[in-house]
Amino acid sequence: MTDDQRTPPSKVADDRASLTSFLDYQRATLAMKCRGLTGEQLKQRAIPTSRLTLLGLVRHAASIERSWFRFALNAEDVKSLWPGQVDGAAAEFHVEDADVDEAFEVWREECVRARAVASSFASLDDTVNCGGVSISLRYVLTHMIEEYARHNGHADLLREAIDGAVGE
């Protein structure tokens, strides 16, 4: 992959800038893994033993952005983007009839909203009560970095299986 448009995180930033820039870097990595593919390629189950697709990962990313930032941190009454299950898997991973442009637009919108929610907190250590559990902005940012990093590993394998492209 030669079209790397990501901004590397600073090596000297404070905690907040570090966490938010690492999260944005992981978001940009998922976008990079999808760049240049057709809708059919994004929907392709490229690993025979897995139901994962790149488009499914994008839709999942939109869902987790919405869930952690808008529902958990901001206490918004948001509904699931793709509710239910299909063949035993979360519906967001069922992409055969999914609209590719819509999925990417929803994901980008949720990332914008997530950044706004995160910036509304005065401190990384500010907490909210979500379902009887106290969570901090620091926890959510750290968890989201982990979530993206794990799924970006999946995206690496999917992309290589689809068209042979490899890269960070």
Side-chain angles (χ1 to χ4, degrees), residues 141-161:
L141 290 171
T142 303
H143 174 73
M144 291 296 293
I145 293 165
E146 179 272 334
E147 181 86 16
Y148 271 99
R150 181 167 29 93
H151 289 310
N152 283 338
H154 299 136
D156 276 337
L157 293 172
L158 290 167
R159 180 63 189 254
E160 184 174 3

Side-chain angles (χ1 to χ4, degrees), residues 6-19:
R6 300 172 299 170
T7 301
S10 169
K11 292 177 177 57
V12 295
D14 65 21
D15 286 353
R16 187 181 196 125
S18 241
L19 289 171

